[in-house]
Amino acid sequence: MRHPLEDQFNASAWDIMSAIQRGFRAQVDVKGKLAEYFLNKVLENLVKDGTIEDCLWQDKDGQPDFIVTFKSRQLRIECKNVRSKGLFRDPPGYKVEIQKTRNAIGGGPARGYKVDEFDVLATCLFNQTHEWTYLFASTAALARREHEPQFLQIMQPVPKAVTTPWSTNLVSVLASITEYTK
């Protein structure tokens, strides 16, 4: 059975994978999309078991990756991979870069995210663990820029062992946000 992308590109799956293998940027992009793909599976299971009411996976510039409906509230989730190289020294841990890749080509603070652009950061640990697992944190708990506190710090520390404000349990993070912002 051929994948629709094989027809779209008029190339075999092997050819497509071989092309990705030859491009560093293509591999980074694919890993980013795979992090979203596996998170979407988690979210679909939460919809199936009734934990969340709805989930929308979107691929739009300037929009969060996911919008979920939890306890009748829409919450926005941004999904990012931890970096494969470089660790935080203080506090010790992984790094996740939360900077827009397409908007504001000229740089400046607009490449970063404002604190109100999404509610939850889903950080995929694959680049460090080779497993599609996640740590979740409320955006309100993330580090902000010292001189522009309306923007999140571009490099966020992610602990190697789960500690506050990070959690492996997305539902508990969603619940804490809905409780905090009643």
Side-chain angles (χ1 to χ4, degrees):
M1 182 172 162
R2 283 177 62 90
H3 189 279
L5 210 51
E6 294 176 276
D7 292 330
Q8 182 180 335
F9 290 161
N10 190 24
S12 70
W14 182 265
D15 291 339
I16 295 168
M17 301 300 258
S18 296
I20 293 169
Q21 187 178 26
R22 304 269 314 200
F24 169 77
R25 193 69 233 164
Q27 290 179 37
V28 170
D29 289 345
V30 169
K31 283 194 286 185
K33 197 50 73 180
L34 281 169
E36 293 177 21
Y37 175 81
F38 287 112
L39 180 58
N40 187 57
K41 288 181 139 189
V42 170
L43 295 170
E44 285 179 339
N45 285 334
L46 291 173
V47 170
K48 281 182 190 166
D49 73 13
T51 303
I52 61 176
E53 291 124 62
D54 191 33
C55 169
L56 173 65
W57 180 13
Q58 52 186 12
D59 188 27
K60 297 177 183 173
D61 286 347
Q63 299 292 316
D65 298 316
F66 297 93
I67 297 175
V68 299
T69 306
F70 178 75
K71 295 187 176 181
S72 302
R73 287 216 23 219
Q74 287 195 330
L75 298 171
R76 301 157 299 167
I77 300 173
E78 190 68 24
C79 181
K80 300 288 185 190
N81 279 312
V82 292
R83 294 180 70 111
S84 57
K85 296 179 180 173
L87 299 173
F88 259 102
R89 290 189 194 148
D90 186 25
Y94 306 128
K95 286 182 181 179
V96 63
E97 181 180 345
I98 51 171
Q99 182 168 241
K100 297 171 189 168
T101 54
R102 286 181 274 277
N103 291 345
I105 297 294
R111 266 198 85 190
Y113 287 95
K114 288 185 174 178
V115 295
D116 61 354
E117 289 188 63
F118 57 92
D119 303 295
V120 175
L121 177 61
T123 303
C124 180
L125 302 178
F126 176 82
N127 281 331
Q128 292 289 333
T129 65
H130 289 272
E131 295 179 8
W132 298 102
T133 56
Y134 302 85
L135 289 179
F136 305 95
S138 165
T139 305
L142 297 177
R144 297 173 186 215
R145 295 183 193 181
E146 185 177 332
H147 299 293
E148 298 166 306
Q150 72 276 25
F151 285 94
L152 295 170
Q153 204 171 288
I154 291 172
M155 292 294 179
Q156 296 282 333
V158 179
K160 291 181 178 179
V162 179
T163 57
T164 304
W166 297 91
S167 174
T168 57
N169 186 331
L170 173 60
V171 176
S172 70
V173 174
L174 296 174
S176 72
I177 293 169
T178 56
E179 280 298 312
Y180 181 75
T181 57
K182 270 187 177 176

